[in-house]
Amino acid sequence: IRRILGVIGLTLQFFTFAGAQDITISLSARESTNTPLLVRGQFDTERAANERHVLPFAESVAGVSGLRKRITDIKLLDANGMELTFVESSCCAIATGAIKQFSYTLSLDSTDGIRAEAHTSWLRNGNGVLMFGDIVPQEFGATGKRFSAALTLDLPRDWLVRSSDLVAETKVLRTDDIGNAVAFVGGIWRVADIDIDGQIFKIVLS
């Protein structure tokens, strides 16, 4: 049975940056198996003074909780490349100094069923959906504030990437709203165009 896994509409146009983005991210998956995703990144713009020592994560999305438990092996560096000590809570890592760079591993193979997969990232058996709002660090900005990002996807050679934020065939995504960006990765996805009242939408199918 054909399942519609997502719709990428014209509202998810990729963004051409006039200057530096807020955050740069690299996501690596080395094998077409259930290995953790390696997340590495850095903050490219100045963060508020009361936020610079905190790396916050999504704890729940659309009623799906426990997302923080997927993150392990956190490493934090300051602007001089010195490793920072930190303590962890249920929603963040709190460092002894201002955080410039970070890395951690993210397990995306566990699932709580179809409902969870409709709202959270998952990756297994060489296919998956990356919803970057639960992958990259969150921010404590005002409600509705968007954060721009450049993301490099270091994935197995045979994996395809489907996203309206994809720049050419480089497996680089640029978006002005990382919290709502989505990518479909792996070999099972294909894209079809549909016309709804004169507006073209791209539907991702498996």
Side-chain angles (χ1 to χ4, degrees):
I1 299 176
R2 181 179 300 172
R3 294 189 301 159
I4 299 177
L5 270 296
V7 177
I8 305 175
L10 297 180
T11 55
L12 283 177
Q13 300 290 343
F14 63 79
F15 184 79
T16 301
F17 291 99
Q21 59 277 342
D22 294 312
I23 192 170
T24 299
I25 300 283
S26 170
L27 306 180
S28 302
R30 292 301 184 187
E31 304 174 13
S32 299
T33 60
N34 299 343
T35 54
L37 191 71
L38 174 61
V39 181
R40 292 174 293 185
Q42 70 174 31
F43 296 103
D44 296 320
T45 55
E46 193 73 13
R47 304 170 74 202
N50 63 332
E51 299 175 6
R52 294 171 190 166
H53 64 294
V54 179
L55 193 72
F57 302 105
E59 171 57 20
S60 64
V61 174
V64 180
S65 60
L67 301 182
R68 171 67 180 82
K69 295 185 295 185
R70 305 178 306 171
I71 297 172
T72 57
D73 302 325
I74 299 173
K75 185 176 182 179
L76 307 176
L77 304 177
D78 65 15
N80 296 317
M82 300 296 294
E83 189 166 355
L84 297 168
T85 57
F86 61 91
V87 295
E88 298 184 51
S89 74
S90 61
C91 63
C92 64
I94 304 172
T96 53
I99 301 168
K100 178 64 174 179
Q101 301 178 56
F102 54 85
S103 66
Y104 48 87
T105 57
L106 184 64
S107 176
L108 298 179
D109 59 337
S110 61
T111 178
D112 293 323
I114 295 297
R115 179 177 179 276
E117 290 188 355
H119 298 285
T120 63
S121 300
W122 57 270
L123 183 66
R124 62 180 179 275
N125 300 325
N127 296 287
V129 177
L130 304 180
M131 301 186 183
F132 298 104
D134 66 29
I135 292 177
V136 304
Q138 304 297 295
E139 285 291 350
F140 293 123
T143 302
K145 183 177 180 180
R146 296 183 176 186
F147 293 91
S148 60
L151 300 102
T152 300
L153 301 178
D154 182 11
L155 304 173
R157 184 176 300 176
D158 59 338
W159 286 20
L160 299 176
V161 179
R162 306 291 191 186
S163 174
S164 63
D165 295 297
L166 185 65
V167 178
E169 298 298 325
T170 60
K171 292 188 178 179
V172 173
L173 286 80
R174 293 184 180 273
T175 175
D176 64 343
D177 186 7
I178 187 58
N180 288 310
V182 178
F184 299 82
V185 299
I188 67 172
W189 311 110
R190 56 193 185 83
V191 177
D193 291 341
I194 62 170
D195 187 327
I196 301 178
D197 295 330
Q199 187 173 17
I200 302 299
F201 291 86
K202 292 186 180 295
I203 300 180
V204 181
L205 304 168
S206 67

